[in-house]
Amino acid sequence: MAEAHQAVAFQFTVTPEGLDFHLSREAVKQFYLAGVYSWKKRLICAKNSFLTGVYPASPSSWMVVVMATAGSFYCQVDPSLGVISRISRHLPESRFLGMEGRTAVSAVLFSTGVWLSAVLLFRQALKLLLSYHGWMFEPHGKMSRSTKIWVALMKVLSIRKPLLYSFQTSLPKLPVPSVQATITRYLESVRPLMDDEKYSKMEVLAKEFKEKTAPRLQKYLILKSWWTTNYVSDWWEQYIYLRGRSPLMVNSNYYAMDFLYVTPSHIQAARAGNAVHAILLYRRKLDRGEIPPVMALGIVPMCSYQSERMFNTTRIPGKETDTLLHLMESKHLAVYHKGRFYKVWLYYGGQHLRPRDLEQQFQRILDDPSPPQPGEERLAALTAGERVPWAEARARFFSHGKNKISLDAIERAAFFLTLDEEEHGYVPGREGCMDAYAKSLLHGHCYDRWFDKSFTLVVYKNGKLGANAEHSWADAPIIGHLWEFMLGTDKFQLGYTEEGHCRGEPDTLLAPPQRLQWDIPPECCAAIESSYRLAKALADDVDFCCFQFSDFGKGLIKKCRTSPDAFIQISLQLAHFRDKGCFCLTYEASMTRLFREGRTETVRSCTSESTAFVRSMSDPRQSRSERQRLFKLAAEKHQHMYRMAMTGAGIDRHLFCLYVVSRYLGVESPFLAQVLSEPWRLSTSQTPQQQLKMFDLNKYPDHVSTGGGFGPVADDGYGVSYIIAGENLITFHISSKFSSSETDSKRFGRNIRQAMLDIAELFD
């Protein structure tokens, strides 16, 4: 009972002699240490906020300005041209300040004003420099004189090591493209998908929209861009994600996988202990802003605002729209195992629990023989079903009593952890093992992930890891950055003993995890069962194929003198044409994080150039040299479109915002209605690798990442995610639906493999 006694700091009882006080010194010590840690965190955050606010200047530069001003006065030179004397005359009278003291204070005030003016000037200069994107459109290996000058200025202004948010207020705003440019690019993108008759009709609709409806909508959009930080992101989050009423599972959430070949420890509790501790280390760096921003070319910062809601965040269901609950701090973790929910404290004495202590806590959960309470096992199915039934059940059954307390423990947790009873991962020679691994992470059993949490960490019985992430708060590269940090820290910094346990000795006096208590009535059980049945049907319909392409990688692709992404996207077009005998509207996600609060833009990868190349591959009359020429044209076109999307000249976000404005104004637009109703039958995304410095793949070739994936966007389409890991491996994640007679994920995977081999053969 030592744990229970430690939990009580102060007790008293009434006796005939008076009050009898009992004080737990250990508990008071822990309260004291927790307070010290809290204030230490606040001071560090305040310091880093100041450093971020004055970047690229620093406190030492302020000292230099003050000392220079003082030195000038010592040499009887007034650099202020009389301003310091004027300040001195206006200082209040004080017997503690003589003439020299008043002059010194005035000099410091003048120096501070000069320094702050310089800070504002430098930040404005940095903003202007970051608005230049010409570097992105220059040929590989060549750099114009203007770009060289720009690079030199960027290096001078960002010579100080930046913190995570150092560049935030210096990033430019996302520009609003002209209606003419957007419509021209849109018509160009749909030309290869329409016959002459359909295209002529679309041209008429586009012309009518451009001349009659668009000018008014564009004015409102430009006005919004003036008074908001980003004219797209708030509407994108609200209307694309939070107002969606369909299940998050499969339709919106996505997943991330563990190392492909390596499992650092096969002890489930130990792997969970190291992983959770590594994630907490990342959270501490994130809270303090100590993570360096992601930089293109090593000098161009990407927006970091999405990282703010990575932890302590939950999507709360509503009848019409969901909301995001984000807390500044959370000191516990919500854990699920065999139908039971637990609350695990992450701190002791104001410090993170060590990996060995976390392992002990998770092992206590694994060893707990108690059964689930009535209705508890499938409770999380409510988060897997449609949003309205979940909102109604939450308001009716979880707004008071022990249910509210337990639900708060989950929704206010740092993140969610599932200790899964299954075993998954790559097993050489076992067909379908990666497919099952992907499906497990995407939907599990439909009740063993909390799909509303910012992310759910899944640790399998054999020590393999994975994550399921909610999409509204951020995009996949944000979770990817955390995920790479966690994998690298787990394996190369924290490590394990020879037996596979976390290093160190556990504190056996730690209070055990707290079992969450529920009182779930039959009506709530019926709602849970209804959501479960719907989610189970959705999950069973997902057809997954996850495979490794190891015939070649980016090393050989670069010999084709094109980007690996363009090579794969053109291969996907060839594979889709062979799979279905036609072309389709293709979605490739790109980032707009060169701009403040930027999220994503669409690259429409099915172009006239790519379709011309694909047709040439099935035309025996085409020569090898002609196919090479057409491929290079298609690759150049794709790279140009990708750059346009990244620099704010995309198509789809602009059209989406014009549509939102039209709905606000009650304006009907046949053109916009047609554009936004077109299905994306091929939805693709590349998983970037962002933290290669944490471990060298040349030195540790087995420690390649498997990336992650998502569910199909269209009922009769494919979802394709891929990661280019190392020089000779590309992992593909392909999803579709069994209910569609037009799709087959394994067939499409075979077509992708063959398409890549056929294109590579052109350049042998």
Side-chain angles (χ1 to χ4, degrees):
M1 295 297 291
E3 305 94 331
H5 286 300
Q6 284 188 13
V8 182
F10 174 73
Q11 288 182 325
F12 70 90
T13 56
V14 180
T15 67
E17 291 77 20
L19 293 176
D20 184 16
F21 291 94
H22 298 278
L23 194 66
S24 170
R25 294 182 180 179
E26 178 62 23
V28 171
K29 176 185 175 183
Q30 298 307 319
F31 289 160
Y32 167 75
L33 292 174
V36 169
Y37 172 80
S38 179
W39 278 104
K40 182 180 178 182
K41 177 183 174 182
R42 293 181 187 181
L43 290 174
I44 292 173
C45 290
K47 181 197 75 172
N48 288 340
S49 294
F50 173 75
L51 294 176
T52 295
V54 302
Y55 188 88
S58 65
S60 59
S61 65
W62 174 79
M63 288 295 298
V64 169
V65 174
V66 171
M67 295 301 294
T69 304
S72 299
F73 259 88
Y74 181 78
C75 297
Q76 296 185 341
V77 176
D78 184 4
S80 71
L81 302 177
V83 174
I84 292 177
S85 298
R86 293 178 186 175
I87 295 174
S88 178
R89 288 198 298 270
H90 287 85
L91 287 177
E93 297 284 343
S94 174
R95 66 176 184 273
F96 299 106
L97 278 179
M99 182 58 68
E100 290 184 359
R102 292 167 68 88
T103 301
V105 171
S106 301
V108 170
L109 291 175
F110 171 77
S111 302
T112 302
V114 170
W115 180 71
L116 290 175
S117 299
V119 168
L120 293 175
L121 180 63
F122 286 148
R123 290 180 77 86
Q124 192 61 34
L126 194 57
K127 192 169 189 174
L128 290 173
L129 289 172
L130 291 174
S131 299
Y132 173 74
H133 299 126
W135 58 273
M136 192 175 290
F137 294 90
E138 294 184 346
H140 183 69
K142 297 181 180 179
M143 190 179 292
S144 65
R145 181 181 299 175
S146 59
T147 299
K148 289 179 180 177
I149 295 172
W150 170 79
V151 169
L153 291 173
M154 280 296 301
K155 288 182 177 179
V156 169
L157 283 180
S158 55
I159 193 169
R160 258 188 69 222
K161 183 180 178 181
L163 298 172
L164 181 61
Y165 302 113
S166 291
F167 293 100
Q168 279 301 96
T169 55
S170 298
L171 290 172
K173 286 188 175 184
L174 182 69
V176 181
S178 69
V179 172
Q180 175 66 50
T182 296
I183 290 179
T184 299
R185 287 194 287 267
Y186 169 77
L187 291 174
E188 181 185 353
S189 74
V190 297
R191 185 65 188 96
L193 304 174
M194 296 180 176
D195 57 30
D196 292 342
E197 182 181 353
K198 287 184 178 179
Y199 184 72
S200 296
K201 290 181 179 178
M202 182 55 74
E203 278 187 314
V204 172
L205 289 176
K207 183 179 180 181
E208 181 184 11
F209 172 74
K210 180 178 66 175
E211 295 175 351
K212 296 181 179 179
T213 312
R216 183 186 176 196
L217 305 182
Q218 181 78 346
K219 288 178 182 177
Y220 280 97
L221 205 55
I222 291 173
L223 181 63
K224 181 176 189 276
S225 73
W226 289 347
W227 56 263
T228 58
T229 309
N230 189 295
Y231 81 94
V232 175
S233 294
D234 57 340
W235 283 350
W236 188 254
E237 179 179 301
Q238 183 70 21
Y239 294 108
I240 298 301
Y241 293 117
L242 296 180
R243 282 186 178 269
R245 303 293 82 198
S246 59
L248 303 183
M249 186 195 77
V250 175
N251 295 321
S252 179
N253 285 25
Y254 55 94
Y255 66 86
M257 284 184 171
D258 200 355
F259 290 123
L260 178 59
Y261 302 118
V262 173
T263 305
S265 173
H266 292 281
I267 299 176
Q268 185 178 19
R271 192 79 201 281
N274 261 11
V276 169
H277 187 77
I279 290 172
L280 292 177
L281 293 178
Y282 186 94
R283 185 177 72 160
R284 182 167 63 187
K285 287 177 173 287
L286 181 65
D287 288 344
R288 297 175 176 180
E290 295 173 349
I291 298 171
V294 176
M295 309 281 274
L297 293 182
I299 57 173
V300 185
M302 298 286 185
C303 179
S304 303
Y305 102 100
Q306 294 182 58
S307 301
E308 294 175 358
R309 298 180 296 185
M310 184 179 297
F311 297 98
N312 328 323
T313 298
T314 303
R315 179 166 170 170
I316 305 298
K319 290 187 178 181
E320 295 183 359
T321 182
D322 293 353
T323 55
L324 288 175
L325 170 69
H326 173 66
L327 306 175
M328 295 304 296
E329 179 67 278
S330 178
K331 296 186 176 181
H332 72 275
L333 184 68
V335 182
Y336 179 91
H337 176 247
K338 293 181 72 173
R340 293 97 37 98
F341 291 87
Y342 298 84
K343 180 178 182 179
V344 177
W345 291 103
L346 299 172
Y347 292 83
Y348 183 69
Q351 299 293 325
H352 287 147
L353 288 186
R354 297 168 300 172
R356 190 67 180 89
D357 292 328
L358 288 167
E359 177 187 348
Q360 174 186 248
Q361 298 294 69
F362 298 141
Q363 191 61 52
R364 286 171 170 175
I365 292 174
L366 294 173
D367 295 339
D368 183 358
S370 63
Q373 299 162 73
E376 181 182 17
E377 182 178 15
R378 294 182 176 178
L379 174 62
L382 290 169
T383 69
E386 293 182 338
R387 305 305 291 171
V388 173
W390 172 208
E392 292 173 345
R394 186 177 184 277
R396 184 180 176 188
F397 304 113
F398 298 91
S399 59
H400 58 276
K402 62 174 67 175
N403 288 350
K404 184 181 188 309
I405 294 172
S406 294
L407 183 63
D408 281 348
I410 295 173
E411 293 181 338
R412 294 174 175 270
F415 57 95
F416 195 81
L417 168 65
T418 294
L419 297 172
D420 204 297
E421 282 295 285
E422 296 183 347
E423 296 187 1
H424 284 290
Y426 175 67
V427 180
R430 182 185 296 177
E431 185 178 353
C433 60
M434 293 299 289
D435 306 344
Y437 186 15
K439 280 180 67 68
S440 175
L441 289 174
L442 184 65
H443 54 67
H445 291 290
C446 306
Y447 56 78
D448 48 1
R449 286 90 176 100
W450 198 271
F451 295 100
D452 287 354
K453 288 300 291 182
S454 54
F455 67 94
T456 295
L457 174 66
V458 183
V459 183
Y460 293 103
K461 198 171 184 178
N462 59 344
K464 271 295 179 186
L465 290 178
N468 181 289
E470 202 275 317
H471 211 323
S472 65
W473 63 273
D475 301 309
I478 307 302
I479 276 290
H481 196 269
L482 160 69
W483 198 247
E484 291 173 1
F485 177 92
M486 181 273 293
L487 291 177
T489 303
D490 169 31
K491 173 63 179 177
F492 297 101
Q493 295 183 24
L494 300 177
Y496 298 87
T497 65
E498 293 183 0
E499 296 79 18
H501 292 283
C502 297
R503 292 172 178 169
E505 293 296 326
D507 183 353
T508 56
L509 297 180
L510 281 176
Q514 177 186 343
R515 178 79 184 273
L516 299 185
Q517 300 298 313
W518 308 93
D519 182 11
I520 301 177
E523 297 90 339
C524 184
C525 290
I528 294 171
E529 189 62 25
S530 176
S531 291
Y532 170 70
R533 287 196 300 268
L534 186 147
K536 183 71 163 53
L538 181 61
D540 289 345
D541 196 26
V542 176
D543 177 18
F544 239 103
C545 176
C546 180
F547 71 94
Q548 290 74 47
F549 181 88
S550 55
D551 296 78
F552 57 84
K554 63 181 178 183
L556 185 144
I557 292 174
K558 289 178 180 177
K559 294 180 181 178
C560 302
R561 296 185 178 180
T562 187
S563 74
D565 184 67
F567 183 97
I568 293 173
Q569 285 292 328
I570 296 170
S571 299
L572 291 176
Q573 292 300 316
L574 177 57
H576 188 275
F577 186 76
R578 289 173 173 175
D579 187 82
K580 288 191 174 183
C582 64
F583 298 103
C584 71
L585 194 62
T586 305
Y587 181 110
E588 181 189 6
S590 74
M591 295 187 296
T592 56
R593 289 171 61 199
L594 293 174
F595 303 94
R596 192 171 179 186
E597 294 189 11
R599 289 198 60 161
T600 61
E601 179 57 275
T602 304
V603 179
R604 293 176 167 236
S605 301
C606 184
T607 63
S608 296
E609 290 80 1
S610 66
T611 56
F613 166 74
V614 169
R615 293 187 190 280
S616 75
M617 291 295 286
S618 58
D619 185 353
R621 296 171 297 177
Q622 297 288 349
S623 65
R624 179 174 179 171
S625 60
E626 177 63 11
R627 288 171 177 169
Q628 288 177 343
R629 185 186 72 84
L630 292 173
F631 175 83
K632 289 179 180 178
L633 288 175
E636 289 171 1
K637 178 66 174 181
H638 180 270
Q639 287 177 268
H640 177 73
M641 291 175 60
Y642 202 97
R643 291 162 180 160
M644 293 287 284
M646 286 190 68
T647 54
I651 301 168
D652 291 278
R653 299 302 177 268
H654 185 205
L655 292 176
F656 162 75
C657 288
L658 289 171
Y659 177 76
V660 174
V661 174
S662 73
R663 295 304 301 269
Y664 276 130
L665 298 178
V667 176
E668 294 294 331
S669 170
F671 171 74
L672 291 177
Q674 174 70 22
V675 170
L676 271 73
S677 65
E678 294 169 343
W680 300 97
R681 290 193 171 90
L682 182 56
S683 183
T684 70
S685 179
Q686 179 184 176
T687 303
Q689 290 187 290
Q690 306 170 80
Q691 302 216 47
L692 296 177
K693 292 182 180 179
M694 291 198 69
F695 50 93
D696 186 357
L697 286 179
N698 293 321
K699 188 176 180 181
Y700 302 100
D702 289 344
H703 291 74
V704 292
S705 173
T706 323
F710 52 89
V713 174
D715 290 339
D716 55 351
Y718 292 109
V720 181
S721 176
Y722 51 94
I723 181 170
I724 305 168
E727 293 294 322
N728 298 296
L729 180 67
I730 304 171
T731 299
F732 287 91
H733 304 254
I734 305 167
S735 63
S736 62
K737 291 191 175 182
F738 286 116
S739 56
S740 172
S741 60
E742 300 180 25
T743 58
D744 184 319
S745 293
K746 288 184 173 57
R747 184 185 71 205
F748 192 46
R750 292 192 295 268
N751 282 322
I752 292 174
R753 185 186 297 274
Q754 190 59 51
M756 293 184 65
L757 292 172
D758 290 347
I759 294 175
E761 189 178 348
L762 291 176
F763 296 90
D764 275 350

